[in-house]
Amino acid sequence: MRAAFHEDLDAIFTDLTSVCELVSVAVRDATTSLLEARNDLAEQVIDKDVEIDDARERIEENALELLGLQSPVAGDLRVVVAALRMISDLERMGDLSVHVAKIARLRTPNKAVPELAQPTIAKMAEIAQQMVERTCEILRTRDVSAAQDLVADDDEMDQLRRKSFAELLGQDWTHGVEPAVDVALLGRYYERIADHAVTVANRVVFVVTGETPADS
């Protein structure tokens, strides 16, 4: 019974990793749709979000079933509770990718991001993508050291967010209000994707060590 139970716990982490990989694809494709004005990719990100939503329901059902049938304690309980929280974070990351894709779709055939803001937004997108990919690996390996290292990238994201606001408020911004709103929202979306990635990584630390990192 206990061996089967621990196999079920491992299966939950495998499922979380699979969802994270779906999120990684969503972030990548949403960014491409944004920077290249690819309406086809924007539509694809929006349509495929249902896969992430369905996966969340499945993982939640499995976790709640384990809670009800096995009455886990101590470390096992940490895994189940953390899984319920992590799948919520992962789903939200998928939703944020959809928000990016919707801005891209709204502005096609034009690019939503003016030339002045493209380097900063592109860098934010790159960091968000890297953080999601590393989060998938952290879920796969439960590597505490890698989870702790992820926080440094989040600091860089915060710096880029401030740089983006400086660009919007600077004298060189001549693109009007609507593009400024788009860029402000996009910066927020990528920042939040990074924040959720850090939260998931911190929950992995909690699962492995039983300690809650300060940044969680």
Side-chain angles (χ1 to χ4, degrees), residues 34-99:
L34 177 73
L35 298 179
E36 298 181 9
R38 290 276 304 277
N39 188 65
D40 59 325
L41 277 181
E43 293 286 1
Q44 185 172 297
V45 171
I46 294 165
D47 291 342
K48 285 191 172 184
D49 188 55
V50 67
E51 295 181 29
I52 297 173
D53 294 340
D54 290 345
R56 173 185 177 167
E57 292 182 9
R58 185 172 63 253
I59 290 172
E60 285 181 340
E61 288 173 0
N62 291 341
L64 291 172
E65 184 176 356
L66 287 176
L67 282 175
L69 296 179
Q70 299 291 345
S71 300
V73 295
D76 294 340
L77 181 61
R78 287 203 306 269
V79 174
V80 179
V81 173
L84 287 168
R85 293 178 175 175
M86 285 189 282
I87 189 56
S88 178
D89 286 307
L90 291 170
E91 184 196 34
R92 185 58 185 148
M93 292 157 75
D95 290 341
L96 290 161
S97 301
V98 169
H99 294 337

Side-chain angles (χ1 to χ4, degrees), residues 27-43 100-101 103-115 118-119 121-122 125 186 190:
V27 174
R28 182 197 66 204
D29 289 350
T31 296
T32 302
S33 73
L34 177 73
L35 298 179
E36 298 181 9
R38 290 276 304 277
N39 188 65
D40 59 325
L41 277 181
E43 293 286 1
V100 172
I103 289 180
R105 183 179 65 176
L106 182 64
R107 304 305 175 201
T108 54
N110 300 314
K111 293 182 180 179
V113 182
E115 185 175 351
Q118 281 184 13
I121 293 297
L186 289 165
Y190 283 119

Side-chain angles (χ1 to χ4, degrees), residues 129-141:
Q129 180 69 44
Q130 291 173 350
M131 291 181 71
V132 174
E133 291 172 357
R134 289 169 62 189
T135 299
C136 295
E137 186 63 19
I138 289 164
L139 284 168
R140 184 178 297 108
T141 62

Side-chain angles (χ1 to χ4, degrees), residues 104-176:
R105 183 179 65 176
L106 182 64
R107 304 305 175 201
T108 54
N110 300 314
K111 293 182 180 179
V113 182
E115 185 175 351
L116 175 64
Q118 281 184 13
T120 302
I121 293 297
K123 186 62 177 178
M124 294 181 79
E126 178 186 347
I127 292 174
Q129 180 69 44
Q130 291 173 350
M131 291 181 71
V132 174
E133 291 172 357
R134 289 169 62 189
T135 299
C136 295
E137 186 63 19
I138 289 164
L139 284 168
R140 184 178 297 108
T141 62
R142 305 189 205 182
D143 186 332
V144 171
S145 178
Q148 293 169 336
D149 288 344
L150 198 66
V151 178
D153 277 349
D154 193 43
D155 291 340
E156 185 177 0
M157 179 69 84
D158 292 340
Q159 292 172 8
L160 286 167
R161 176 78 165 138
R162 290 191 290 270
K163 180 181 178 182
S164 178
F165 273 122
E167 290 170 348
L168 294 176
L169 298 174
Q171 294 182 348
D172 292 337
W173 185 265
T174 59
H175 304 285

